[in-house]
Amino acid sequence: MRKFIILSAFAATLFVSCDDTRKVLHEQYLEYVMHTDSLDVVHDAMTVHHDALKTDTRTLAQKLKDVEETDSIAIADLAKHQVLLKEQATSLSKLKKLIESHADVKSYFMSDSISVEQMEAQLVEMEANNTDIAARLTQIKTELKMIEAEQESLKKTEKH
């Protein structure tokens, strides 16, 4: 009987500690979801900026084509910008899918059908994804600023 009581106490302690672990993991998950949501807002703003710059690039390319004495370097720069913008569009699309995938696991993650080990692995993956997303968005922002600055320079030379 004494063994049964000790075993029951041990099982109850294990159950409570496992429940606390789940609670902590659920809280961590919600923090990652908030981080993902903020990355999504940044992503959407970056997409709007990207699309506007893409339109600007097309307009500037057309204007430069219409001017006969256009510098071939300027046209080459615009071609480089168009390639970079196309790569960014692909990257932004992939990042959006990755951001959306975090929301897809919510019901699974918050259920009792997922083990603590699976929860921990999911959190590690989400953290890595968020780090990658943030780094790529920062890189795209830097590239967009560079393209914008170069195109402003081209617009000024076009007017002269």
Side-chain angles (χ1 to χ4, degrees), residues 64-89:
L64 289 176
K65 267 186 200 174
D66 294 342
V67 178
E68 288 184 26
E69 64 271 356
T70 299
D71 186 1
S72 62
I73 294 174
I75 293 174
D77 283 346
L78 281 175
K80 179 181 75 171
H81 295 168
Q82 288 172 328
V83 168
L84 187 55
L85 288 166
K86 188 173 183 175
E87 290 170 0
Q88 289 174 350

Side-chain angles (χ1 to χ4, degrees), residues 2-98:
R2 184 173 180 202
K3 288 182 183 180
F4 179 72
I5 293 173
I6 292 174
L7 187 58
S8 296
F10 177 72
T13 304
L14 184 62
F15 180 73
V16 169
S17 68
C18 187
D19 196 40
D20 285 345
T21 303
R22 280 186 174 285
K23 182 179 176 187
V24 168
L25 292 173
H26 284 155
E27 288 170 3
Q28 281 182 317
Y29 171 77
L30 293 175
E31 286 177 30
Y32 285 128
V33 167
M34 286 190 301
H35 186 228
T36 301
D37 289 347
S38 68
L39 289 172
D40 193 26
V41 169
V42 171
H43 175 276
D44 290 346
M46 196 79 56
T47 301
V48 168
H49 187 201
H50 175 268
D51 290 344
L53 198 51
K54 196 161 95 175
T55 301
D56 259 7
T57 302
R58 280 192 216 122
T59 303
L60 187 55
Q62 189 58 47
K63 284 181 182 177
L64 289 176
K65 267 186 200 174
D66 294 342
V67 178
E68 288 184 26
E69 64 271 356
T70 299
D71 186 1
S72 62
I73 294 174
I75 293 174
D77 283 346
L78 281 175
K80 179 181 75 171
H81 295 168
Q82 288 172 328
V83 168
L84 187 55
L85 288 166
K86 188 173 183 175
E87 290 170 0
Q88 289 174 350
T90 302
S91 185
L92 285 167
S93 176
K94 288 178 183 177
L95 292 175
K96 187 66 170 179
K97 287 178 185 169
L98 193 54

Side-chain angles (χ1 to χ4, degrees), residues 109-126:
F109 193 91
M110 299 305 271
S111 73
D112 288 334
S113 63
I114 184 173
S115 72
V116 170
E117 293 80 19
Q118 290 170 318
M119 291 170 82
E120 290 170 340
Q122 185 70 46
L123 287 173
V124 167
E125 182 181 337
M126 284 180 73

